[in-house]
Amino acid sequence: MPYVNIKITREGATPAQKAKLIEGVTDLLVRVLDKSPATTFVVIDEVALEDWGIGGLPVEDYRRVMRADRGRVPMK
Amino acid sequence: MPYVNIKITREGATPAQKAKLIEGVTDLLVRVLDKSPATTFVVIDEVALEDWGIGGLPVEDYRRVMRADRGRVPMK
Amino acid sequence: MPYVNIKITREGATPAQKAKLIEGVTDLLVRVLDKSPATTFVVIDEVALEDWGIGGLPVEDYRRVMRADRGRVPMK
Amino acid sequence: MPYVNIKITREGATPAQKAKLIEGVTDLLVRVLDKSPATTFVVIDEVALEDWGIGGLPVEDYRRVMRADRGRVPMK
Amino acid sequence: MPYVNIKITREGATPAQKAKLIEGVTDLLVRVLDKSPATTFVVIDEVALEDWGIGGLPVEDYRRVMRADRGRVPMK
Amino acid sequence: MPYVNIKITREGATPAQKAKLIEGVTDLLVRVLDKSPATTFVVIDEVALEDWGIGGLPVEDYRRVMRADRGRVPMK
């Protein structure tokens, strides 16, 4: 009877994409640990960009720094 | 000093109902474990239906399937 | 289909007390929001005293300060 | 930069199975939402049976009831 | 690779204040445990006042009681 | 009345270091948002290395790959 919480930044994930996450992670628990889908909960939290920090910065600032300083593709 | 997090689907719980949850779970911790209400936190999260999965499906799809296939009362 | 997480300090809660918490919070959700017990999960986390802070101090230090400085009954 | 928390009952999941969960859920987030693996965290919590409740009962009691009363395969 | 979740009541924290929380807690983890900022996530949740309970009451009721009964400065 | 949860890999953080995390994050919330220490909870979770994933791998495998493939200092 697993409980899975998926936190992602709020950047336009559609209901169809969320349904794929729910299906995919439930299938994974069935496949790997033989869990029952009927007692597998998945809760998705979309977090506003200003509420997510990485590298000591809010996500948008972090991506800006990554692009400017290192020419890297910004992480999603 | 307990911390309790209650996650429910967002389906119209009123402030009065939430207050009952807060009171009820705090009383429970006092009664069972002699905890102090003053240091008991309760945080309620209402989760959009598209963000909650069970049985590998978003809640609304799951309820539809339950009703159609098995004639069961849909779970809340 | 609620999910409830109860965090308490690890101070000897017995399996019987935990069963009472599980029963009590499930009943509460049935009574207040008409939720289905079959899809109500409760997860209890016991947290070591050194891992719980309040008032800027680990719990045991906090209780010591409360007792010494204010003559208060230490909080549980 | 997703964060995923997987809670399962503590019933002998092996490091190899956990590695499959980590790999599988990361791949899922890459596939569905084009997330970067390098900033995808997965945290697995194994929860003792006495600390997990469903149907108002600790898991083991719940499984016993399910087997006795309904002849159902106990849920994992 | 720490993950930090900060839950506060929703009472007007600004993006600049949130950025200070993200920076401050990341610096703390670097300073105390020599963690890498690049793999330190901070997620801030603002919780509506009606969804946060303390002392068995929703926050606003609790503050009202504290002010009325004891003349205390309401807690934030 | 903030609640802060800090998750770190289990790699020998001492009680003194944990006390510094508790003090530091509480001070931060006082300084930035004028929160009351008396109603600020901090809960630290130490997570076994096999239970923490990044880059689709358990932490130790990830660090090994980082060292081997890129010559980078492994992330903590």
Side-chain angles (χ1 to χ4, degrees):
Chain A
M1 45 201 64
Y3 170 81
V4 181
N5 180 227
I6 300 175
K7 288 187 201 297
I8 51 174
T9 42
R10 179 171 292 132
E11 304 183 78
T14 64
Q17 288 174 319
K18 291 175 180 178
K20 277 187 195 161
L21 292 180
I22 289 167
E23 185 189 11
V25 77
T26 305
D27 286 354
L28 180 70
L29 284 154
V30 171
R31 208 164 58 237
V32 177
L33 293 176
D34 194 25
K35 295 293 182 184
S36 164
T39 49
T40 297
F41 285 4
V42 183
V43 172
I44 299 169
D45 290 321
E46 289 183 281
V47 177
L49 291 173
E50 72 180 48
D51 291 329
W52 196 302
I54 176 170
L57 294 169
V59 167
E60 286 182 305
D61 293 348
Y62 182 74
R63 288 177 179 164
R64 202 170 301 127
V65 169
M66 295 290 279
R67 273 190 295 254
D69 289 9
R70 311 197 207 176
R72 284 216 214 153
V73 177
M75 290 182 216
K76 300 185 74 172
Chain B
M1 44 201 64
Y3 170 80
V4 181
N5 179 226
I6 300 175
K7 288 186 200 297
I8 51 173
T9 42
R10 180 171 291 133
E11 304 184 78
T14 64
Q17 288 174 318
K18 291 175 181 178
K20 277 187 194 163
L21 292 180
I22 290 167
E23 184 189 12
V25 78
T26 305
D27 286 354
L28 181 70
L29 284 154
V30 171
R31 207 164 60 238
V32 176
L33 291 176
D34 194 27
K35 295 294 182 183
S36 164
T39 48
T40 297
F41 285 4
V42 183
V43 172
I44 299 168
D45 289 322
E46 289 184 281
V47 177
L49 291 174
E50 71 181 49
D51 291 329
W52 197 300
I54 175 170
L57 293 169
V59 167
E60 287 181 303
D61 293 347
Y62 183 74
R63 287 175 181 166
R64 203 171 300 127
V65 169
M66 295 291 279
R67 271 190 296 256
D69 290 8
R70 314 196 204 175
R72 284 215 214 154
V73 178
M75 291 183 216
K76 300 184 72 173
Chain C
M1 45 202 61
Y3 170 81
V4 180
N5 179 226
I6 300 175
K7 287 187 200 297
I8 52 174
T9 42
R10 179 171 292 132
E11 304 184 78
T14 64
Q17 288 174 318
K18 291 175 181 180
K20 277 187 194 162
L21 292 181
I22 289 167
E23 184 189 12
V25 77
T26 305
D27 286 353
L28 181 70
L29 284 155
V30 172
R31 207 163 60 238
V32 176
L33 292 176
D34 195 26
K35 295 293 182 185
S36 165
T39 48
T40 297
F41 284 6
V42 183
V43 172
I44 298 169
D45 289 322
E46 290 184 281
V47 177
L49 291 173
E50 71 181 48
D51 291 328
W52 196 301
I54 177 170
L57 294 169
V59 167
E60 287 182 305
D61 293 347
Y62 182 74
R63 288 177 179 164
R64 203 170 299 126
V65 169
M66 294 292 279
R67 272 191 296 257
D69 290 9
R70 312 196 206 175
R72 285 216 213 153
V73 178
M75 292 182 216
K76 299 184 74 172
Chain D
M1 45 202 63
Y3 170 81
V4 181
N5 180 226
I6 299 176
K7 288 186 200 297
I8 52 174
T9 41
R10 179 171 292 132
E11 304 184 78
T14 65
Q17 288 173 317
K18 291 175 181 178
K20 277 187 194 163
L21 292 181
I22 290 167
E23 184 189 11
V25 77
T26 305
D27 286 354
L28 181 70
L29 284 155
V30 171
R31 209 164 59 238
V32 177
L33 292 176
D34 194 26
K35 295 293 181 184
S36 165
T39 49
T40 297
F41 284 5
V42 183
V43 172
I44 298 169
D45 289 322
E46 289 183 283
V47 177
L49 291 174
E50 71 181 48
D51 291 329
W52 196 301
I54 175 169
L57 294 169
V59 167
E60 286 180 304
D61 294 347
Y62 182 74
R63 288 176 180 165
R64 204 171 299 126
V65 170
M66 295 291 279
R67 270 189 297 254
D69 290 8
R70 315 197 204 174
R72 284 216 214 152
V73 178
M75 291 183 216
K76 299 185 73 173
Chain E
M1 44 201 64
Y3 169 81
V4 181
N5 179 226
I6 300 175
K7 288 186 200 298
I8 51 174
T9 41
R10 179 171 293 132
E11 305 183 79
T14 65
Q17 288 174 317
K18 292 174 180 178
K20 277 186 194 163
L21 293 181
I22 290 166
E23 184 189 11
V25 77
T26 305
D27 286 353
L28 181 69
L29 284 155
V30 171
R31 208 162 60 236
V32 177
L33 293 176
D34 193 26
K35 294 293 181 184
S36 164
T39 49
T40 297
F41 284 5
V42 183
V43 172
I44 299 168
D45 289 322
E46 289 183 282
V47 177
L49 291 174
E50 71 180 48
D51 292 329
W52 196 300
I54 176 170
L57 293 169
V59 167
E60 286 181 304
D61 294 347
Y62 183 74
R63 288 177 180 164
R64 202 171 300 126
V65 169
M66 294 292 278
R67 272 190 296 254
D69 290 10
R70 313 198 205 174
R72 282 214 214 156
V73 177
M75 290 182 216
K76 301 186 72 172
Chain F
M1 44 201 63
Y3 170 80
V4 181
N5 180 226
I6 300 175
K7 287 187 200 298
I8 52 174
T9 42
R10 179 172 291 132
E11 304 184 79
T14 65
Q17 288 174 317
K18 291 176 180 178
K20 277 187 194 162
L21 292 181
I22 289 167
E23 183 188 13
V25 78
T26 305
D27 286 354
L28 180 69
L29 283 154
V30 171
R31 207 163 60 236
V32 176
L33 292 176
D34 194 26
K35 295 293 181 184
S36 164
T39 49
T40 297
F41 285 5
V42 183
V43 172
I44 299 169
D45 289 321
E46 289 183 283
V47 177
L49 291 174
E50 71 181 48
D51 291 329
W52 196 301
I54 176 170
L57 294 169
V59 167
E60 286 181 305
D61 293 347
Y62 183 74
R63 288 176 179 164
R64 202 171 299 125
V65 169
M66 294 291 279
R67 272 190 296 255
D69 289 9
R70 314 198 204 173
R72 284 217 213 150
V73 177
M75 290 182 216
K76 301 185 73 173

